[in-house]
Amino acid sequence: MRRSPWATLAVLALAQFIVVLDVTIVNVALPHIQADLNFSTDSLQWVINAYTLLFGGFLLLGGRTADLLGPRRVFVGGLLLFGVTSLVAGLSNSPEFLIGARAVQGLGGALLSPAALAILTMTFAHGRERNIAMGVWGGLAGLGGTLGVVAGGVLVDSLSWQWVFFVNVPIVLALVALIPVFVPDVRHHVGARTFDTLGAVLGTAGLMAIVYGVVRSEPRGWGSGEVIGVLAAGVVLMVAFVLVERRSAAPLVPMRLFRSRALSVSGAALSLNGAAFLSMFFLTAIYLQQVRGDSALEAGLHFLPMGGAAIVAAVLASQLVQRVGTRTVQLGGAVLSVGALLWLSQADATGSYTTQLLPGLILFGFGILGVGVPGQISAVSEVRPAEAGAASGVVSAMYQVGGALGLAIVTTLSISHTTSELVHGATQQHALEAGFERGLLVAALFSVANVVLTLASPQLQPTSEQLVEATAAA
């Protein structure tokens, strides 16, 4: 059967759209989820982190699974898993049930996303058509993140928080019906490959243990046996992960990639970028509704200018790196992110959105993509062409995992400061404001670290093709 490659692209891009949408659509529903399911303040972040950790932890294994079993088969499997767990998440009646569903939903995304990208790469020939396809792919993924907060607000206000999950189900069913018609069963002709299941389990378990240890430090204290034990277990698991990867015939993360200074520095920068982004999004979504009294829809609309700024920033960054180089653009993005987070940290419950929040959100939209686009370019600049895909997967996973760990740190310190203010007699509103300010100042430190890291990154003038691929990935 002859299939239009552009129809194939439409199906793949819609699937990627809902994966990205799910990262942001949940944020505006968090206060309602917390009230309905009796989440504690420190455990609420796991609604986001469970998804992010499993998505980042299994992203590379998802790509290898697609190579071994065929990308269309894995794409369908990941899509069905994503849809089923979306339904389960919406039916959840306890924090534990919802967190578990979100974790498995992240696994579905980790199977779906790399398989879809593999199909796209094999459907479009190298050159102009693939560049256009990658641009559409990246643009729709970015649009998913922007529209997520608005869609979440509409669904929560008009229906209920459960619908931020239920909305995925009809989309998934429609996509599954369209796949046999529009998506070809393309495959790479490769030799035998093995699953690095042990590496995936060790790496994800180690990272989750470390994040859990950070979260538990707020109620238990850093010196408690539980926190020390969990953190120690996390470190041991990560050491075991590195040892397994170094000896594996088909490693999940090829350790030789980290011999590249550009990849190591850019990967760390993108991790910090993810930490700053997820922390800002989480804290501001809570702040807008619980401190300023916005509805879920109002909170979503208030994020729209940041999304618009990010889309403009992706285009500008792509043009600027050709003129002034990657390091200069990345440095500018990191500085803008610092300024934006400091601006946002000064907001209070009675101030104007236009003067206190809007400038910071717009600046942050420019800053986050100012780091992301040149960071993606630098990450693959020193690796062999045959390993460019693996390198891109590594930094994508680092971004996701860095975001989860950063969110855990920021949320823990923010809650701790809020609790301290309440103990010392502050009103609840003042305590929440103080916690919000503390959390954003910690997030600003992630961006400050990015400024320092950028100074150690290489200065590159990328090709047009590298720009298209980096913009899509960012």
Side-chain angles (χ1 to χ4, degrees):
M1 181 188 298
R2 183 175 177 83
R3 297 177 174 89
S4 166
W6 301 107
T8 301
L9 174 62
V11 174
L12 298 175
L14 181 56
Q16 180 69 2
F17 177 87
I18 64 170
V19 171
V20 178
L21 182 82
D22 221 66
V23 176
T24 56
I25 195 173
V26 178
N27 276 276
V28 293
L30 289 173
H32 299 265
I33 292 172
Q34 182 179 19
D36 198 20
L37 298 185
N38 295 316
F39 268 89
S40 64
T41 306
D42 62 316
S43 66
L44 186 64
Q45 62 177 290
W46 282 98
V47 178
I48 305 297
N49 265 352
Y51 180 88
T52 305
L53 271 177
L54 268 292
F55 184 83
F58 283 93
L59 195 59
L60 295 173
L61 187 63
R64 289 196 178 277
T65 305
D67 283 340
L68 188 63
L69 301 180
R72 191 174 77 167
R73 184 180 298 175
V74 174
F75 178 60
V76 173
L79 195 58
L80 286 171
L81 183 60
F82 190 87
V84 169
T85 48
S86 295
L87 178 63
V88 172
L91 295 173
S92 299
N93 57 9
S94 70
E96 295 79 13
F97 205 72
L98 178 57
I99 290 170
R102 286 284 285 166
V104 184
Q105 191 183 32
L107 177 59
L111 293 171
L112 181 166
S113 191
L117 192 55
I119 296 170
L120 185 152
T121 303
M122 287 183 275
T123 299
F124 289 88
H126 182 78
R128 180 176 177 273
E129 284 197 349
R130 184 186 291 176
N131 290 349
I132 294 172
M134 290 292 290
V136 172
W137 169 272
L140 285 178
L143 185 63
T146 303
L147 292 181
V149 287
V150 179
V154 171
L155 291 169
V156 171
D157 279 358
S158 60
L159 297 169
S160 67
W161 65 261
Q162 286 89 345
W163 279 93
V164 303
F165 301 111
F166 289 155
V167 70
N168 293 325
V169 178
I171 299 174
V172 167
L173 291 175
L175 285 171
V176 170
L178 292 172
I179 286 169
V181 180
F182 295 110
V183 179
D185 189 11
V186 290
R187 297 191 185 217
H188 276 304
H189 295 289
V190 295
R193 293 195 179 189
T194 58
F195 288 106
D196 188 11
T197 308
L198 179 59
V201 171
L202 287 173
T204 305
L207 289 166
M208 291 191 72
I210 291 171
V211 173
Y212 182 75
V214 172
V215 171
R216 295 298 293 167
S217 69
E218 196 281 320
R220 296 293 189 185
W222 287 102
S224 73
E226 178 188 349
V227 171
I228 293 172
V230 171
L231 289 176
V235 171
V236 169
L237 287 167
M238 291 307 299
V239 170
F241 168 73
V242 172
L243 293 175
V244 167
E245 296 303 282
R246 291 180 65 181
R247 297 175 182 176
S248 174
L252 193 65
V253 180
M255 290 294 139
R256 63 181 176 276
L257 292 177
F258 292 99
R259 297 172 190 163
S260 163
R261 179 173 65 92
L263 185 141
S264 299
V265 171
S266 297
L270 291 169
S271 292
L272 290 166
N273 214 34
F277 174 72
L278 276 188
S279 299
M280 187 287 301
F281 223 128
F282 180 89
L283 289 171
T284 307
I286 298 292
Y287 173 82
L288 285 170
Q289 295 176 75
Q290 292 190 344
V291 176
R292 294 181 64 89
D294 286 357
S295 68
L297 177 57
E298 287 171 336
L301 291 172
H302 283 159
F303 277 114
L304 265 187
M306 184 185 75
I311 293 171
V312 173
V315 176
L316 290 177
S318 298
Q319 295 173 347
L320 285 173
V321 290
Q322 287 184 301
R323 298 179 183 179
V324 300
T326 53
R327 183 170 59 204
T328 305
V329 177
Q330 191 169 331
L331 182 61
V335 170
L336 283 177
S337 296
V338 173
L341 290 166
L342 291 177
W343 187 296
L344 290 170
S345 71
Q346 302 307 305
D348 58 58
T350 58
S352 165
Y353 164 80
T354 306
T355 58
Q356 290 199 341
L357 291 171
L358 181 60
L361 290 171
I362 292 174
L363 280 177
F364 194 76
F366 278 102
I368 207 75
L369 264 294
V371 175
V373 171
Q376 288 282 349
I377 294 168
S378 297
V380 298
S381 63
E382 295 178 352
V383 300
R384 295 177 299 175
E387 294 184 326
S392 181
V394 166
V395 294
S396 295
M398 290 176 72
Y399 174 85
Q400 297 289 341
V401 171
L405 185 56
L407 178 59
I409 293 169
V410 165
T411 305
T412 298
L413 295 175
S414 175
I415 292 169
S416 177
H417 192 61
T418 299
T419 303
S420 175
E421 290 290 313
L422 289 171
V423 168
H424 288 89
T427 63
Q428 184 174 12
Q429 184 181 68
H430 177 78
L432 287 170
E433 285 181 15
F436 172 74
E437 178 182 356
R438 174 64 59 86
L440 288 182
L441 290 176
V442 176
L445 290 178
F446 294 145
S447 293
V448 169
N450 243 342
V451 172
V452 177
L453 271 176
T454 300
L455 297 175
S457 65
Q459 179 77 298
L460 303 171
Q461 314 267 188
T463 65
S464 297
E465 186 175 323
Q466 284 176 311
L467 286 174
V468 173
E469 293 178 355
T471 304

